[in-house]
Amino acid sequence: MPYAFYNAWLNSKLITKPNSSANFEQLTNPAINKKLTTLAAQSTVAGQLKALTPIEEFVAKDLPIIPTVYGAAFDEYNSSSFSGWPTPSNPYESGQPGSPQNEIVVLHLKPTS
């Protein structure tokens, strides 16, 4: 259900200072908070779709957030102690820390010293 995305993007109750774990734009809109509560309470697909529509319309019209990627995977590693990481010329696997195939990466690594 898209509730989790919209709630994290738009719910002003999730704004914390100095760092927000959600609602990075720090949108404060009590009407949207109420619509999110209505959406969360729906137990049928028909009810969810009906409650979701005004939230989608708000996002499309007012553009409080513009998601550009979904589930991006970026390589993150430190080559000071090990070599053999995936590279643009040898992209044998994702170097993403949360990848379920990390065993493949580990099996390619060699100590640098």
Side-chain angles (χ1 to χ4, degrees):
M1 181 167 130
Y3 169 77
F5 292 116
Y6 285 118
N7 188 57
W9 294 338
L10 306 172
N11 191 336
S12 62
K13 295 173 187 171
L14 300 178
I15 298 171
T16 58
K17 304 284 183 186
N19 298 313
S20 291
S21 61
N23 192 350
F24 301 111
E25 293 77 17
Q26 300 194 2
L27 174 77
T28 302
N29 188 318
I32 289 297
N33 287 347
K34 186 175 179 181
K35 289 175 178 148
L36 288 166
T37 301
T38 301
L39 175 59
Q42 301 306 308
S43 59
T44 66
V45 172
Q48 291 169 3
L49 291 173
K50 183 178 179 183
L52 184 60
T53 300
I55 297 169
E56 290 176 329
E57 289 172 350
F58 170 77
V59 170
K61 181 180 174 226
D62 294 331
L63 302 175
I65 183 162
I66 303 172
T68 58
V69 296
Y70 176 79
F74 301 103
D75 290 0
E76 295 182 26
Y77 54 85
N78 181 326
S79 61
S80 64
S81 297
F82 293 93
S83 64
W85 297 98
T87 64
S89 62
N90 184 16
Y92 63 86
E93 184 55 72
S94 168
Q96 180 185 12
S99 172
Q101 292 82 20
N102 283 333
E103 180 181 4
I104 296 168
V105 175
V106 169
L107 292 173
H108 281 80
L109 298 180
K110 307 262 187 285
T112 56
S113 57

